[in-house]
Amino acid sequence: MSTSSTQSRGINRRINSVQSNGRLTREASGSRRKPVTHNDAYTYALRVAYLHYLLQPRQRRTQHVPAPQQPIQQRTSTAVNELVKDIGAVKDSKSTRLPHGFMAELEKRLTGVLMGKEKRPEYQDSVVRRTFAVFYTAFSEKSFKSRMEKDRRVEDLVLIFFSGATKELQKGKAPGDDSWKLMVDRHVALFVRLISTAMKDQGWVRDRPELTSRLATLESKLLAHDQDLAAASQKNGSAGGTTIEVIVPLSYDVKDMPLVQVVARIFGLTNTMVQSDINKNKPVWTEKAALQDLKTYQNHLNLNTKRTLRSDDFNFEEGYETWRKAEGPDLSQMMLAVVQSSPELAKSTPGSFPQFNAPTNGSTSTDSGYSEITRTMSDQVENGSYVIDQPTDMSMNENDTFEHVNNTEETFTFIPPDPRSYYRFVLKEALSYDLREENGQSSNAAVENASVKLLSKNSRDLLNEICLRWRFPYFSRIALFLDVIKEKFVDQEIDLDTLDTALNNVKEPSSDSKRSSAVPVSTLGIFDRSKWTVADYALNRQVLCSLHDCLKRDLYDAIQHCYDQKPPPIGPIIYVLENHVYNDLLFEKDPNDDEQFSELVRSGLQKKAEELYDAFVENEVPKDQDQWEFYHVIQLGKAVIKLAERIQKRYRKNPEIEGVNPLIILVERILPMYAEDASKMVERIMYVAQEKGDEVPIQDGFDLYKELVEIRRLHGDALPDVPFAFHIEGALADFVWRWIRMTDEKIVGWVDQAIKQDHFRVRTEHADQMPTNDQRHSVSVIDIFRSFNQSIDQIVQLNWDEDLQYAKFMTALSKSMGAGLARYCETVEQRFSREMDRLTPEQEAAASRTRQEKWVQLARDAWNNKEKIEPFQFFPESFVKLNNIEYAINQLDSLEHSVNVDACAEVIQKYTPPVTQRQRKMNNYVFTIKIVEAEDLKACDLNGLSDPYVVLGDEYQKRLAKTRIIYGNLNPRWDESVDITTQGPLNIIATVWDWDTLGDHDCVGRTSIKLDPAHFGDYMPREYWLDLDTQGRLLLRVSMEGERDDIQFYFGKAFRTLKRTERDMTRKITDKLSAYIHHCLSRSALKSLLSKGISMSTVSSYFTRNRPQSVPQGPTQLDTSNTLKPLFAYFDDNFAIMKQTLTDAAMVMVMTRLWKEVLVTIEGLLVPPLSDKPSQQRQLTQQELDIVFKWLELLFDFFHAIDEETGLANGVPLDVLKSPKYHDIQSLNFFYFESTENLIRTSERMASATAARQQAQRNRLSAPASLSFGGASNLVALPSTRRSKSIMLSRNLGTMRKAKEEKRKEAQADPNDDMILRILRMRSEAQRYLRDRSRQKERLAAAAAAELIVRQSLAAGGGGRMVGNLPRR
């Protein structure tokens, strides 16, 4: 256990026992002590201040004693001239002349004398400077200086100086006063000495010894009557005599008494009043009375009476001995100081005193030794301790008597009856005065420390003198000082900073106090409370307890204002408590105090928070409920958030104060109150608006939601386990739905307006500037997607906190955006079609002819077999439209990723009930009809061909779709798709028309199909060969999907719409080139190439068939290549036009489509389309086949477009060029000239392998061998096992690329015999096998479809039959 803690417990026990006995001071009892009056305190303070004046060191002054008059020997100017002539009498002119450069050195030395820089004391006299200044003026003249630099004679300088000094020194002298003449000689001597010194310092005396000797002689003669120029006589005005120091007598005037004036100011009296009191008590307040007080006090100390501190007043004997040991020497030193001040007291006062040395050197009886002792004492007054420089015995003799020892009160003259109470009164008055005075500091206040703010230097000097005379110990001064400071602080007369300054000053005394004490302060027992008196110890503990209570109250008040705009600082209060109260070992802290205080503060802050919230409601919310608006809810929330954020920021570093978190208390009270009030206010506002038939503005709802979400976030951070009382999303979701419905109504108008204002031009600054890829689309598509993104951002920026509602919002927006994109695609494609279907100049000219002229021209063209192909002139606006569609696809893909479509779909699926629990049925179905091809159409043109296109319509003759025109073909292939939305069964009528330039279009044939959702419950695509009512048939591929309220479905539908529009527009572009492709890659081109070089001899070979003949020479490689040069030139011309406007991606897309057209054309040269009927197409010869494959090779290289320099491909990518159709065409080389039997065997082998693969993939579930599908009697449905291009597979570019890659892999992994069957169509003997093989394929497809239906039924739950309800993916 530490010593300090042991002493502390002992001290506390001692205090308790002493308090029980009623003794806390050196007086008998506080109850018998008279209260200190203002006049009493003033009187005793005045006595001490007056005594300080009596004992202060006497001031001294210097007094001049003139010397006796001496006869003055006069010397005339003629005598000086004679002395100067002695210098120039030397014949050696060089030796007597001044050296070169001396004038500059002399000027520098003269300047030093005038500016006081000359170190010699004789040049510091003002009269000397005056005469030198006169000479400097004459010396500075140019003419004189130039003459002196030329002659360099010293006598000229001396004479000029003598002349000027004479004139200057005789000024102001009486006519009979000749004392100045001796001064002239002295000043001239100083000038000569300056010349000699300058030569000596520059080392010129060695070259001119004669001149140096003469100058020394001149100086000594001039000083014949005054040898020492710096003698003491010069101090007396050069008049001779001596000076002595005399003591200034006391004036007894208050103006000469600094401490007396301090007392007067402190107690509010005038100097006149104080002077009267001093004059009245001067006979009593003497040095003798002071000495008597000291001896009396010493006697009480020796007798251990109650008039001094005794051992019983201390907690430990050690403290008492320490104090007593320091008290004796101090008393002796003080008595010595009094005796030195009045030496006659040593004779009249009994006792022994130290002997003093007799005065010397003519000084008075009060010598410098006394003065020094008194000065030392005065400097040490502030610490109340003296240094005894010599052994002194000032103790009382045993025979000494005191006439007032046994008196009760009037024992001392300068010491009050109760020094402790009197000192406290004076201290309080001094502190009050200094606090009142704004400038109550001494003149050296700038160098004082922080304690000057409490007591001025004058006040501290007075208090130190009082403590010294009243023998008041330093630790008692500390205790009373803290007590007075405590009282001032409790009474709010001083602030917290002043309190902290006072406490710090007590702990760390000023440097002045430490310097003025010969003994270190720490050894005086100032902070070692074991050496304090019981009264001081108890008072100190009481002060700490009072300060603790007061600071706690201030802290409570400060914390209660922590929610104010400018709260009072809390840190300083806590700092003072921790550093000055809690860290003090004397303070005993109650362990329950912190908990009680925290609970009290918490309760107060809760009430304060409620009051603040009530004030917010009063200021922000109208009293009339019918006037409530969302604005008021928002403003109330902003006020709450602003307050919470301000409190959070204010207490971010220290969130807790005395165990209390103001922010937590604030949000615990006001946020639940606000949530409850906001919920009721919103409900009331919505009800009032509904009653009035009005609608609250949507933006107000959005603003309210943002504000409420922020408040809920704060609530969640502060109270994570407490739910927010207001379901915001449930109350405000209607505003979002209203905004979405409004957007849905406007979105088509946005699209129409954007298209209307768009000129579909590239966005370059200059017309001749080549556009970049980013500049090749027009502003309409940019504006549309800007609107889409702004719509999405409007929902995203709400930070909607309910995932299911957010996903539904995005689903609804995706539906609206899909409708907008569909409108954009429809309008742009219509404009594009009009631009592409415009008449050529030749067609316009033909249209102006009469009907007879038209028929004549047609007959003439037919007779001449004219096949004129002209390049098509594309509009740049058309290409910009295609660029817009390509840009829209990329932007929609980016939008799909930013919305996070898959996550939204997962959320909806997570909260959607299972299929078996849903009662809602789908009402809308989307049928995708792909118009694939037609066979054996009726020829409607004179050339035996037709230009067919297909129109789809419903039973009400409403057109639903129209394909492109295939020119000159009876077996056309369109591969075009259309989506039809229906709510039930729908009859579709397909009409094939023949396009004619002149007159009406001819009908080629009609057919129909019924779209019944009940027949497509498996969602598998089906192929229908529909027989036309005339001749030929039409192949349709039909698939169905349920139109689902699903974000993936809407994005997929929008993507598919864009891709189909892009494909159709691309096809329209390539169709303008396909006619020339068919012309260059036709059988007639083959015939023309092979007919080159035919002669009569080759014709007569028909008649000489049995004779041996040579094989006719075929076309060379060059001939074959030259055949395609016109086609390549045609491509280059059109590509150059396209390249100026199309983007790189669109350009590759067009080239890819052209490559597919090339493959289809070459495939048509080689084999007829796939069918179960024989074909009239002739099989090519080996020579023709070689030419066709050479064409394919050349076209492949052309479309790949490898740069010869870099080796990089600039055209269609290699993987696109090598498509499955390309590989199928390449495979014809292996089977083209095989015999029919071998081809049939190969086909059967492939069919068996395909059936085995399908059987291996089946599970053990059985399925019917065939299915009967409903529909018209004249059609056959062929279910396809290949997965259709569903909307869900088209929801973004990624899924599209994935589906295309899977299709490619499937085609490569599952080879078929289709190409063999197409070769067999040109073999008449294979007609029966074709029919049987077609039926076999139908059975296999039906079996696969039936198996898939069974699997889906089992997965749907229980193996029941399929119904019309469409399961949701």
Side-chain angles (χ1 to χ4, degrees):
M1 186 178 295
S2 64
T3 306
S4 60
S5 61
T6 305
Q7 292 178 349
S8 177
R9 289 200 302 272
I11 293 172
N12 292 335
R13 288 196 299 268
R14 181 70 178 275
I15 288 176
N16 294 333
S17 63
V18 170
Q19 288 177 345
S20 63
N21 294 330
R23 179 178 60 81
L24 286 176
T25 64
R26 51 181 160 177
E27 296 297 332
S29 174
S31 61
R32 298 196 301 269
R33 196 181 313 140
K34 294 180 181 180
V36 179
T37 64
H38 184 274
N39 186 61
D40 292 342
Y42 155 69
T43 301
Y44 277 97
L46 182 61
R47 294 178 186 185
V48 173
Y50 176 68
L51 179 61
H52 176 268
Y53 172 70
L54 295 177
L55 299 181
Q56 70 178 351
R58 299 294 188 267
Q59 294 185 0
R60 297 171 180 270
R61 65 186 179 190
T62 302
Q63 183 173 344
H64 173 64
V65 179
Q69 293 290 336
Q70 298 290 339
I72 299 176
Q73 296 183 359
Q74 299 183 358
R75 179 179 294 115
T76 63
S77 59
T78 305
V80 175
N81 291 334
E82 294 295 332
L83 294 175
V84 174
K85 288 181 179 179
D86 293 341
I87 301 175
V90 183
K91 296 181 179 180
D92 186 8
S93 59
K94 181 180 179 181
S95 178
T96 58
R97 290 194 178 188
L98 296 171
H100 291 284
F102 179 78
M103 298 305 164
E105 180 64 22
L106 178 61
E107 184 177 6
K108 186 186 300 184
R109 299 300 288 264
L110 289 172
T111 303
V113 171
L114 297 179
M115 297 180 65
K117 295 182 179 180
E118 188 65 37
K119 298 180 180 179
R120 293 178 176 270
E122 57 267 24
Y123 295 100
Q124 304 299 326
D125 187 79
S126 59
V127 181
V128 173
R129 293 182 184 178
R130 195 166 70 245
T131 56
F132 272 69
V134 173
F135 172 77
Y136 184 80
T137 302
F139 180 76
S140 301
E141 294 182 3
K142 294 183 179 181
S143 58
F144 178 75
K145 185 182 293 186
S146 59
R147 180 166 57 85
M148 292 305 302
E149 289 177 352
K150 179 179 179 182
D151 297 339
R152 293 181 287 116
R153 295 196 309 170
V154 70
E155 56 270 21
D156 295 341
L157 293 174
V158 174
L159 290 175
I160 292 297
F161 185 89
F162 172 75
S163 175
T166 301
K167 295 178 181 179
E168 183 65 26
L169 291 177
Q170 69 180 356
K171 290 180 180 180
K173 300 297 182 179
D177 187 3
D178 295 334
S179 59
W180 60 273
K181 295 182 179 180
L182 187 60
M183 292 295 296
V184 173
D185 295 344
R186 186 177 295 110
H187 287 197
V188 174
L190 287 176
F191 179 70
V192 174
R193 180 178 296 183
L194 183 67
I195 294 175
S196 301
T197 305
M199 293 182 60
K200 182 178 180 181
D201 293 342
Q202 296 298 325
W204 290 326
V205 294
R206 291 177 297 178
D207 297 336
R208 289 168 175 77
E210 186 66 25
L211 179 59
T212 304
S213 175
R214 296 283 179 166
L215 289 175
T217 302
L218 177 59
E219 180 183 352
S220 62
K221 289 181 179 181
L222 290 171
L223 296 177
H225 303 283
D226 195 354
Q227 299 297 325
D228 189 0
L229 292 177
S233 59
Q234 296 296 321
K235 300 178 182 179
N236 300 314
S238 303
T242 59
T243 58
I244 61 173
E245 289 185 352
V246 297
I247 296 177
V248 179
L250 295 177
S251 64
Y252 296 99
D253 190 350
V254 173
K255 296 180 179 180
D256 298 330
M257 304 177 186
L259 291 187
V260 172
Q261 296 178 25
V262 173
V263 173
R265 289 194 296 269
I266 289 175
F267 287 92
L269 302 177
T270 63
N271 289 347
T272 304
M273 298 170 64
V274 175
Q275 185 71 60
S276 175
D277 291 338
I278 291 175
N279 294 338
K280 182 173 61 176
N281 295 285
K282 187 187 301 183
V284 181
W285 299 347
T286 62
E287 294 94 332
K288 182 178 180 181
L291 182 60
Q292 185 66 27
D293 282 357
L294 292 174
K295 289 186 177 183
T296 303
Y297 178 83
Q298 189 178 45
N299 183 62
H300 284 291
L301 181 63
N302 293 332
L303 298 177
N304 198 20
T305 66
K306 295 182 179 180
R307 296 307 303 272
T308 65
L309 294 177
R310 297 179 299 171
S311 60
D312 293 341
D313 295 326
F314 289 84
N315 291 295
F316 297 99
E317 190 67 27
E318 180 183 358
Y320 172 70
E321 292 298 333
T322 302
W323 169 79
R324 183 184 177 91
K325 184 178 180 181
E327 194 74 0
D330 282 358
L331 290 173
S332 299
Q333 185 69 22
M334 292 175 65
M335 286 186 283
L336 176 61
V338 174
V339 172
Q340 289 178 338
S341 176
S342 299
E344 63 275 5
L345 293 178
K347 301 177 181 179
S348 60
T349 304
S352 58
F353 295 91
Q355 301 297 325
F356 303 103
N357 295 328
T360 58
N361 298 330
S363 63
T364 62
S365 60
T366 307
D367 62 356
S368 60
Y370 168 80
S371 301
E372 186 63 26
I373 293 174
T374 307
R375 190 177 301 110
T376 303
M377 182 185 70
S378 177
D379 293 340
Q380 296 167 349
V381 163
E382 292 183 9
N383 289 328
S385 178
Y386 296 92
V387 178
I388 301 177
D389 298 328
Q390 52 184 323
T392 307
D393 184 11
M394 297 295 295
S395 62
M396 295 289 296
N397 293 331
E398 293 181 0
N399 298 327
D400 289 344
T401 59
F402 300 92
E403 23 183 323
H404 301 292
V405 167
N406 295 324
N407 293 344
T408 57
E409 294 296 338
E410 299 297 334
T411 304
F412 301 104
T413 302
F414 294 96
I415 301 177
D418 184 7
R420 187 181 186 89
S421 300
Y422 276 76
Y423 176 78
R424 189 184 186 281
F425 193 97
V426 176
L427 173 62
K428 182 179 179 181
E429 291 296 323
L431 186 59
S432 299
Y433 172 79
D434 287 338
L435 291 176
R436 288 194 304 267
E437 292 293 323
E438 295 181 355
N439 299 321
Q441 302 169 348
S442 60
S443 59
N444 57 348
V447 299
E448 294 289 333
N449 57 12
S451 63
V452 176
K453 297 180 181 179
L454 301 174
L455 290 171
S456 65
K457 187 176 186 304
N458 293 332
S459 298
R460 286 187 287 118
D461 291 343
L462 175 62
L463 293 174
N464 288 332
E465 188 68 21
I466 289 174
C467 291
L468 174 70
R469 298 302 167 186
W470 295 355
R471 306 312 304 149
F472 202 66
Y474 198 83
F475 44 77
S476 297
R477 295 175 60 183
I478 293 177
L480 290 180
F481 176 75
L482 293 177
D483 186 40
V484 172
I485 287 294
K486 179 265 299 180
E487 181 180 346
K488 294 287 185 183
F489 181 72
V490 172
D491 295 339
Q492 297 183 355
E493 295 184 22
I494 62 174
D495 56 10
L496 190 65
D497 291 337
T498 307
L499 175 63
D500 178 56
T501 301
L503 295 176
N504 283 327
N505 193 37
V506 169
K507 291 182 178 180
E508 300 178 1
S510 62
S511 57
D512 294 341
S513 299
K514 296 179 181 179
R515 276 197 309 269
S516 60
S517 178
V519 181
V521 175
S522 59
T523 63
L524 296 177
I526 294 177
F527 296 105
D528 186 2
R529 293 191 180 96
S530 64
K531 298 179 181 180
W532 284 23
T533 63
V534 176
D536 295 329
Y537 188 91
L539 180 60
N540 195 1
R541 189 169 69 174
Q542 180 185 358
V543 167
L544 291 176
C545 293
S546 299
L547 285 177
H548 173 265
D549 296 340
C550 185
L551 288 171
K552 278 288 188 177
R553 287 193 296 270
D554 292 349
L555 181 60
Y556 176 83
D557 294 339
I559 295 177
Q560 294 305 306
H561 290 84
C562 68
Y563 298 145
D564 295 350
Q565 188 72 26
K566 293 183 179 180
I570 298 175
I573 303 177
I574 298 177
Y575 173 81
V576 173
L577 272 172
E578 292 180 351
N579 287 272
H580 299 304
V581 179
Y582 294 151
N583 289 345
D584 199 316
L585 298 177
L586 190 59
F587 178 76
E588 296 181 358
K589 188 177 182 181
D590 187 356
N592 298 325
D593 180 68
D594 290 343
E595 184 177 354
Q596 295 175 357
F597 181 77
S598 299
E599 187 63 31
L600 183 65
V601 171
R602 187 177 295 106
S603 176
L605 286 179
Q606 290 175 352
K607 295 180 180 179
K608 193 72 175 179
E610 294 176 0
E611 293 175 359
L612 283 173
Y613 180 76
D614 293 340
F616 290 157
V617 173
E618 185 71 20
N619 295 331
E620 303 295 344
V621 181
K623 294 182 179 180
D624 187 1
Q625 295 184 3
D626 292 341
Q627 296 180 0
W628 286 355
E629 297 179 359
F630 281 0
Y631 171 79
H632 301 123
V633 185
I634 293 172
Q635 291 302 113
L636 181 60
K638 286 183 176 180
V640 171
I641 290 179
K642 185 177 180 180
L643 175 61
E645 289 178 346
R646 186 172 70 241
I647 300 305
Q648 183 182 22
K649 182 179 180 181
R650 181 178 297 167
Y651 300 107
R652 179 178 288 111
K653 294 183 179 179
N654 299 307
E656 288 193 358
I657 305 172
E658 296 294 313
V660 176
N661 192 320
L663 178 62
I664 297 298
I665 294 176
L666 178 69
V667 298
E668 283 179 347
R669 300 302 296 174
I670 66 174
L671 291 188
M673 296 171 64
Y674 174 77
E676 183 178 356
D677 291 349
S679 178
K680 294 179 180 179
M681 291 179 67
V682 170
E683 182 179 357
R684 176 65 183 177
I685 293 170
M686 300 290 289
Y687 173 77
V688 172
Q690 185 178 1
E691 289 293 322
K692 294 181 179 180
D694 299 333
E695 285 188 346
V696 181
I698 295 175
Q699 190 59 43
D700 291 352
F702 287 173
D703 295 339
L704 177 61
Y705 180 79
K706 293 177 182 179
E707 196 68 30
L708 291 175
V709 166
E710 181 65 19
I711 295 177
R712 185 172 60 186
R713 181 189 64 80
L714 293 176
H715 183 277
D717 294 342
L719 307 172
D721 299 329
V722 179
F724 195 63
F726 186 12
H727 186 222
I728 308 172
E729 285 73 19
L732 302 179
D734 184 62
F735 289 92
V736 184
W737 287 117
R738 285 171 51 195
W739 181 84
I740 291 176
R741 288 194 294 270
M742 181 185 68
T743 303
D744 183 68
E745 295 172 357
K746 294 181 178 180
I747 203 163
V748 174
W750 294 346
V751 172
D752 292 341
Q753 191 66 22
I755 295 175
K756 183 178 180 181
Q757 297 178 358
D758 193 5
H759 298 289
F760 294 97
R761 298 172 183 171
V762 294
R763 296 174 295 107
T764 56
E765 296 180 359
H766 305 287
D768 56 347
Q769 182 181 352
M770 180 61 67
T772 62
N773 272 340
D774 294 336
Q775 296 175 335
R776 292 175 185 251
H777 46 268
S778 60
V779 296
S780 60
V781 69
I782 298 176
D783 294 340
I784 290 173
F785 274 93
R786 183 184 295 115
S787 301
F788 290 169
N789 284 296
Q790 289 174 354
S791 302
I792 294 294
D793 291 340
Q794 181 67 40
I795 303 299
V796 172
Q797 290 173 2
L798 290 177
N799 293 322
W800 201 263
D801 201 35
E802 189 167 327
D803 294 341
L804 180 59
Q805 287 185 349
Y806 177 80
K808 290 182 178 180
F809 295 157
M810 290 301 172
T811 301
L813 277 179
S814 65
K815 182 179 180 180
S816 301
M817 291 187 297
L821 287 175
R823 180 58 174 265
Y824 184 77
C825 290
E826 179 185 1
T827 307
V828 169
E829 189 174 8
Q830 288 176 358
R831 293 191 176 192
F832 181 83
S833 299
R834 287 196 297 267
E835 294 168 359
M836 299 302 294
D837 295 341
R838 72 185 187 278
L839 297 177
T840 62
E842 293 79 5
Q843 293 172 339
E844 292 179 356
S848 62
R849 298 170 185 165
T850 63
R851 185 176 183 86
Q852 183 178 1
E853 292 174 346
K854 293 178 182 178
W855 284 108
V856 171
Q857 184 64 33
L858 286 175
R860 186 179 299 139
D861 292 342
W863 177 263
N864 296 330
N865 195 19
K866 180 180 178 181
E867 295 183 1
K868 185 177 181 181
I869 304 298
E870 297 290 343
F872 188 79
Q873 298 298 323
F874 295 98
F875 288 161
E877 291 82 356
S878 303
F879 293 149
V880 171
K881 292 181 177 66
L882 181 59
N883 293 340
N884 287 354
I885 300 299
E886 184 252 339
Y887 175 83
I889 293 174
N890 293 326
Q891 289 298 310
L892 186 63
D893 186 65
S894 300
L895 193 62
E896 192 264 353
H897 287 292
S898 64
V899 172
N900 201 352
V901 169
D902 294 339
C904 292
E906 290 178 4
V907 170
I908 294 178
Q909 185 179 6
K910 177 181 178 182
Y911 291 100
T912 302
V915 177
T916 56
Q917 298 180 8
R918 289 188 301 164
Q919 302 300 326
R920 182 175 60 86
K921 296 182 179 180
M922 291 187 177
N923 296 323
N924 294 331
Y925 305 95
V926 178
F927 283 92
T928 301
I929 301 178
K930 183 174 185 179
I931 305 172
V932 182
E933 61 180 341
E935 285 186 355
D936 196 20
L937 296 180
K938 180 180 70 173
C940 297
D941 294 337
L942 296 178
N943 57 4
L945 299 174
S946 295
D947 302 326
Y949 66 93
V950 179
V951 175
L952 296 182
D954 59 8
E955 51 191 327
Y956 303 104
Q957 298 182 356
K958 178 183 178 181
R959 176 181 287 191
L960 301 177
K962 174 180 174 295
T963 67
R964 72 188 190 281
I965 303 170
I966 304 297
Y967 295 97
N969 201 325
L970 298 178
N971 298 293
R973 187 177 184 90
W974 292 279
D975 286 327
E976 294 187 19
S977 300
V978 61
D979 288 339
I980 299 175
T981 302
T982 180
Q983 296 181 350
L986 179 66
N987 291 320
I988 299 297
I989 299 174
T991 305
V992 182
W993 295 90
D994 172 60
W995 183 86
D996 288 330
T997 304
L998 304 175
D1000 297 332
H1001 299 180
D1002 301 325
C1003 178
V1004 179
R1006 288 186 178 87
T1007 187
S1008 64
I1009 182 174
K1010 183 178 182 180
L1011 303 179
D1012 191 350
H1015 298 159
F1016 291 86
D1018 57 352
Y1019 303 105
M1020 292 297 297
R1022 290 171 173 77
E1023 293 182 351
Y1024 296 93
W1025 277 104
L1026 305 177
D1027 293 332
L1028 300 178
D1029 56 359
T1030 53
Q1031 76 173 57
R1033 57 182 182 172
L1034 178 66
L1035 177 61
L1036 300 181
R1037 183 177 296 124
V1038 183
S1039 62
M1040 186 193 73
E1041 286 185 282
E1043 183 166 327
R1044 301 155 49 177
D1045 188 19
D1046 184 273
I1047 189 171
Q1048 291 178 329
F1049 177 85
Y1050 292 132
F1051 266 92
K1053 188 175 181 180
F1055 267 110
R1056 191 163 69 172
T1057 300
L1058 289 171
K1059 291 298 290 185
R1060 284 181 178 175
T1061 303
E1062 182 185 53
R1063 183 175 63 248
D1064 292 344
M1065 293 172 69
T1066 304
R1067 183 173 290 163
K1068 288 181 184 299
I1069 294 175
T1070 57
D1071 283 349
K1072 298 302 178 181
L1073 308 180
S1074 60
Y1076 198 64
I1077 294 175
H1078 296 160
H1079 172 73
C1080 296
L1081 301 178
S1082 62
R1083 287 182 175 254
S1084 60
L1086 277 174
K1087 182 179 179 181
S1088 175
L1089 178 62
L1090 293 174
S1091 63
K1092 292 181 179 181
I1094 297 179
S1095 60
M1096 291 302 296
S1097 59
T1098 58
V1099 176
S1100 62
S1101 63
Y1102 174 79
F1103 301 98
T1104 59
R1105 186 176 301 173
N1106 295 328
R1107 300 178 184 177
Q1109 55 185 349
S1110 61
V1111 179
Q1113 185 70 26
T1116 63
Q1117 295 287 340
L1118 182 60
D1119 295 336
T1120 305
S1121 301
N1122 290 335
T1123 307
L1124 295 182
K1125 281 187 177 181
L1127 179 62
F1128 290 159
Y1130 183 73
F1131 282 159
D1132 289 337
D1133 293 341
N1134 285 278
F1135 288 169
I1137 298 174
M1138 297 178 187
K1139 191 67 176 176
Q1140 294 178 356
T1141 308
L1142 287 178
T1143 62
D1144 294 341
M1147 188 68 195
V1148 172
M1149 183 170 56
V1150 171
M1151 294 177 66
T1152 302
R1153 181 62 200 172
L1154 282 175
W1155 171 247
K1156 291 181 180 180
E1157 192 70 28
V1158 167
L1159 293 179
V1160 171
T1161 303
I1162 291 180
E1163 184 184 40
L1165 284 175
L1166 297 175
V1167 290
L1170 183 63
S1171 177
D1172 58 348
K1173 297 180 180 180
S1175 175
Q1176 300 299 323
Q1177 182 174 335
R1178 178 183 62 84
Q1179 188 172 347
L1180 299 180
T1181 64
Q1182 181 67 51
Q1183 194 176 24
E1184 292 173 334
L1185 185 68
D1186 293 341
I1187 293 174
V1188 170
F1189 275 99
K1190 181 61 178 178
W1191 286 351
L1192 180 63
E1193 180 183 354
L1194 294 173
L1195 288 167
F1196 184 93
D1197 295 338
F1198 176 82
F1199 279 93
H1200 196 35
I1202 297 179
D1203 193 340
E1204 296 180 357
E1205 296 181 358
T1206 62
L1208 299 178
N1210 298 321
V1212 182
L1214 193 62
D1215 57 338
V1216 177
L1217 291 174
K1218 293 183 178 181
S1219 61
K1221 185 176 290 295
Y1222 175 80
H1223 290 293
D1224 290 342
I1225 294 175
Q1226 291 289 345
S1227 66
L1228 287 175
N1229 264 324
F1230 301 100
F1231 308 109
Y1232 201 76
F1233 294 107
E1234 287 285 334
S1235 63
T1236 303
E1237 293 77 7
N1238 290 339
L1239 290 177
I1240 293 175
R1241 283 195 295 269
T1242 304
S1243 176
E1244 290 176 345
R1245 190 164 54 250
M1246 288 185 177
S1248 299
T1250 301
R1253 282 195 303 271
Q1254 292 180 355
Q1255 185 65 30
Q1257 294 175 357
R1258 294 174 184 172
N1259 53 21
R1260 296 181 180 181
L1261 295 176
S1262 61
S1266 63
L1267 288 176
S1268 175
F1269 297 93
S1273 59
N1274 61 341
L1275 59 87
V1276 178
L1278 301 178
S1280 175
T1281 58
R1282 188 174 62 185
R1283 193 174 185 179
S1284 64
K1285 294 181 180 179
S1286 66
I1287 292 177
M1288 300 303 292
L1289 293 177
S1290 304
R1291 61 181 182 270
N1292 56 43
L1293 293 179
T1295 57
M1296 290 182 180
R1297 285 191 290 267
K1298 185 177 180 181
K1300 186 179 293 185
E1301 186 65 26
E1302 290 179 355
K1303 179 181 177 181
R1304 182 188 298 272
K1305 291 181 180 179
E1306 181 181 352
Q1308 294 177 355
D1310 189 15
N1312 53 59
D1313 58 344
D1314 288 349
M1315 297 306 292
I1316 295 177
L1317 295 177
R1318 296 175 72 174
I1319 296 174
L1320 290 175
R1321 284 195 65 192
M1322 295 183 293
R1323 313 282 178 92
S1324 57
E1325 62 271 19
Q1327 180 178 0
R1328 183 176 180 181
Y1329 177 77
L1330 289 174
R1331 184 172 59 253
D1332 295 341
R1333 181 74 180 96
S1334 177
R1335 293 175 180 175
Q1336 181 185 9
K1337 291 178 68 176
E1338 292 176 5
R1339 287 194 300 270
L1340 291 175
E1347 180 184 359
L1348 183 60
I1349 292 175
V1350 173
R1351 290 182 179 180
Q1352 291 180 347
S1353 300
L1354 293 176
R1361 69 179 180 85
M1362 296 297 296
V1363 294
N1365 293 352
L1366 301 180
R1368 187 171 182 172
R1369 294 184 63 181

